[in-house]
């Protein structure tokens, strides 16, 4: 049972101020960045669907994996900063250690997702090509995300902003921003200039070894590695459900037009909201601020974030209209079922994140390592089901 810290609860005005000044700008920036990825996905969706269907099986898990590992990394960084165990600088030893661990953590789940994709699609001819493309993009993405995660926690902390309110959404959106473009980029490099592709593959391996040079795994690092790897390994299998759904219903999503562009934004924004609540709850558990199973602060917080989700849904639909017009030269309008149902999806995911953090703590797992990866994976599944369902309604 966690001991309560008296007076730890925030009032409505304080929570509202935090959401308006910290969370909303971060989540809106993330939404905007998601549509950069969505533009890439929408433009090349048909090519991927026909020529590289294994990538569609891998894609949701791949996007979720980045959010899982680096959202968890952000959660660890914020806790270490709050507890004074880490200095707010990129030179701190905890930064390099955790970035190298995260690179290693990315490789096994990617392999699992690839295997699931091969089994689902059963096209051995493109399997090796997809594996090389995914591994190369994973290493480069991991290097970029590692340092981005450190900056996303250190900069708000230095400015007096709670990094738990902004770090996870920023990290997961940067992950989506670079995941799809790098994946598509390496896909075309493999097709058009294989020599350049293989050079970059070797370079990625060398850079990873440089980051890990002289790194010694201590007891704490071993614990983090085993705990997070166990979680993301299991979640990689679970996230393949999202990929299977995406590949199986890719024709419907492609036919809806708007959801081939909105898909990354829907997954990411839902996961972001869950990650915010999960990270906040994890930190409160470590600081001894959870009084009981239900508390006034959490109810108010999730209610306010649900209103924010409704606003984000309208903005997402509005941005999608512009992106579809610019990239696919097609006119679309507002999707009423999406606007009505999306806040309910976000509401459920946020409560799920809260209870997951408490459950993991009571099971003896560090909620910083387990909550964000789990909620983003579950959010991906429910968001994919949601997307397919709404696409069915409008096609």
């Amino acid at each position: 049972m966690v001991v309560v810290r008296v007076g730890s609860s925030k009032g409505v005005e304080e929570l509202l101020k935090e959401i308006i000044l910290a969370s909303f700008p971060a989540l809106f920036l993330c939404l905007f960045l998601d549509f950069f990825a969505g533009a890439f996905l929408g433009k090349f969706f048909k090519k991927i669907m026909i020529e590289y269907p294994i990538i569609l099986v891998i894609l949701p898990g791949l996007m979720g994996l980045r959010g899982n590992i680096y959202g968890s990394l952000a959660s660890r960084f914020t806790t270490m900063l709050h507890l004074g165990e880490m200095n707010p600088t990129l030179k701190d030893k905890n930064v390099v250690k955790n970035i190298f661990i995260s690179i290693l953590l990315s490789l096994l789940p990617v392999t699992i997702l690839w295997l699931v994709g091969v089994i689902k699609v059963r096209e051995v001819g493109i399997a090796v090509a997809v594996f090389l493309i995914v591994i190369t993009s994973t290493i480069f993405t991991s290097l970029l995300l590692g340092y981005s995660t450190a900056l996303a926690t250190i900069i708000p902390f230095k400015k007096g902003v709670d990094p738990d309110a902004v770090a996870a959404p920023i990290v997961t959106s940067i992950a989506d921003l670079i995941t799809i473009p790098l994946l598509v980029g390496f896909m075309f490099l493999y097709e058009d200039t294989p020599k350049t592709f293989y050079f970059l593959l070797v370079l990625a391996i060398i850079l990873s070894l440089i980051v890990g040079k002289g790194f010694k795994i201590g007891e704490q690092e071993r614990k983090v590695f085993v705990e997070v790897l166990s979680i993301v390994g299991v979640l990689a299998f679970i996230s393949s459900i999202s990929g299977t759904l995406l590949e199986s219903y890719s024709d419907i999503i492609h036919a809806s037009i708007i959801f081939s562009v909105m898909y990354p934004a829907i997954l990411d924004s839902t996961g972001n909201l869950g990650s915010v609540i999960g990270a906040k709850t994890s930190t409160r558990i470590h600081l001894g601020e959870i009084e009981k199973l239900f508390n006034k602060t959490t109810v108010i917080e999730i209610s306010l974030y649900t209103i924010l989700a409704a606003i984000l849904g309208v903005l997402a639909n509005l941005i999608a209209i512009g992106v579809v017009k610019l990239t696919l030269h097609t006119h679309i309008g507002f999707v009423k079922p999406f606007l009505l149902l999306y806040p309910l999806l976000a509401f459920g995911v946020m409560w799920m994140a809260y209870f997951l953090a408490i459950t993991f703590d009571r099971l003896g797992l560090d909620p910083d390592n387990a909550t964000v990866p789990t909620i983003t994976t579950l959010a991906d599944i429910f968001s994919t089901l949601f997307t397919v369902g709404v696409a069915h309604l409008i096609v």
Side-chain angles (χ1 to χ4, degrees):
M1 188 70 179
V2 184
V3 181
V4 64
R5 182 172 296 180
V6 179
S8 63
S9 297
K10 294 182 179 181
V12 177
E13 290 185 8
E14 190 177 354
L15 289 170
L16 191 58
K17 182 179 178 181
E18 180 182 82
I19 289 172
I20 293 173
L21 298 180
S23 294
F24 176 70
L27 289 167
F28 179 71
L29 174 62
C30 295
L31 189 68
F32 184 79
L33 295 177
D34 286 333
F35 276 99
F36 182 79
F40 265 83
L41 182 61
K43 189 170 183 63
F44 299 107
F45 194 90
K46 187 174 182 179
K47 177 181 176 63
I48 296 171
M49 181 175 68
I50 295 172
E51 298 179 27
Y52 295 92
I54 292 176
I55 288 181
L56 284 182
V57 179
I58 296 173
L59 188 59
L62 194 63
M63 292 166 59
L65 172 65
R66 308 279 160 78
N68 290 347
I69 292 174
Y70 292 94
S72 176
L73 177 61
S75 190
R76 290 200 302 277
F77 279 160
T78 56
T79 296
M80 286 189 283
L81 287 168
H82 281 301
L83 295 177
E85 296 175 354
M86 172 179 148
N87 293 318
T89 172
L90 290 177
K91 296 179 181 179
D92 190 279
K93 63 180 182 180
N94 286 302
V95 173
V96 178
K97 280 184 178 181
N98 280 277
I99 288 174
F100 183 64
I101 288 173
S102 297
I103 293 172
L104 296 178
L105 285 169
S106 299
L107 297 176
L108 179 59
V110 161
T111 304
I112 292 172
L113 289 168
W114 173 76
L115 286 170
V116 172
V118 173
I119 294 170
K120 170 67 172 65
V121 178
R122 297 181 183 179
E123 292 189 15
V124 181
I126 63 168
V128 175
V130 170
F131 181 75
L132 293 174
I133 291 166
V134 170
I135 290 295
T136 307
S137 67
T138 293
I139 296 175
F140 275 108
T141 302
S142 298
L143 288 167
L144 291 170
L145 278 178
Y147 287 99
S148 297
T149 302
L151 290 172
T153 53
I154 289 171
I155 292 175
F157 185 81
K158 281 185 172 181
K159 293 185 177 294
V161 176
D162 182 3
D164 278 328
V166 298
I170 289 174
V171 169
T172 52
S173 290
I174 292 174
D176 287 348
L177 173 67
I178 61 180
T179 292
I180 296 175
L182 278 180
L183 196 61
V184 172
F186 282 116
M187 184 177 74
F188 281 108
L189 272 179
Y190 182 86
E191 291 179 354
D192 302 332
T193 54
K195 289 184 179 179
T196 303
F197 174 83
Y198 286 112
F199 169 77
L200 291 174
L201 173 58
V202 173
L203 178 62
I205 296 170
I206 292 172
L207 288 173
S208 299
L209 293 174
I210 290 173
V211 172
K213 184 180 179 182
F215 175 72
K216 295 181 180 179
I217 299 179
E219 185 60 34
Q220 182 63 29
E221 289 76 25
R222 188 178 294 108
K223 179 183 177 183
V224 170
F225 183 83
V226 172
E227 193 167 284
V228 177
L229 182 61
S230 300
I231 293 166
V232 298
V234 172
L235 293 179
F237 279 110
I238 296 174
S239 64
S240 65
I241 297 171
S242 302
T244 300
L245 287 168
L246 178 62
E247 196 275 332
S248 298
Y249 295 97
S250 57
D251 54 340
I252 294 172
I253 293 174
H254 182 254
S256 72
I257 302 175
I258 190 171
F259 287 115
S260 65
V261 170
M262 282 184 70
Y263 183 70
I266 295 172
L267 265 65
D268 196 44
S269 56
T270 308
N272 283 345
L273 290 165
S275 294
V276 168
I277 299 301
K280 281 176 169 289
T281 306
S282 298
T283 298
R284 286 171 184 164
I285 288 171
H286 283 293
L287 296 176
E289 296 180 353
I290 299 295
E291 182 179 9
K292 52 187 178 180
L293 191 60
F294 289 97
N295 61 79
K296 184 179 178 181
T297 301
T298 300
V299 172
I300 294 172
E301 198 166 51
I302 292 179
S303 299
L304 291 174
Y305 273 103
T306 301
I307 296 172
L308 179 59
I311 296 171
L312 291 173
V314 174
L315 291 172
N317 201 156
L318 188 62
I319 296 171
I321 291 171
V323 172
V324 169
K325 185 177 180 180
L326 286 172
T327 60
L328 303 177
H329 310 293
T330 303
H331 294 279
I332 55 172
F334 284 99
V335 182
K336 291 181 181 179
F338 168 77
L339 297 175
L340 291 172
L341 298 174
Y342 178 72
L344 296 177
L345 172 68
F347 179 80
V349 168
M350 286 187 284
W351 274 114
M352 199 181 303
Y354 174 76
F355 287 118
L356 280 171
I358 293 175
T359 300
F360 285 130
D361 179 61
R362 293 182 178 179
L363 291 174
L365 294 172
D366 186 344
D368 274 332
N369 293 335
T371 306
V372 171
T374 304
I375 194 57
T376 52
T377 299
L378 293 176
D380 285 351
I381 294 173
F382 287 112
S383 296
T384 302
L385 285 169
F386 172 82
T387 302
V388 171
V390 176
H392 262 294
L393 292 176
I394 67 173
V395 171

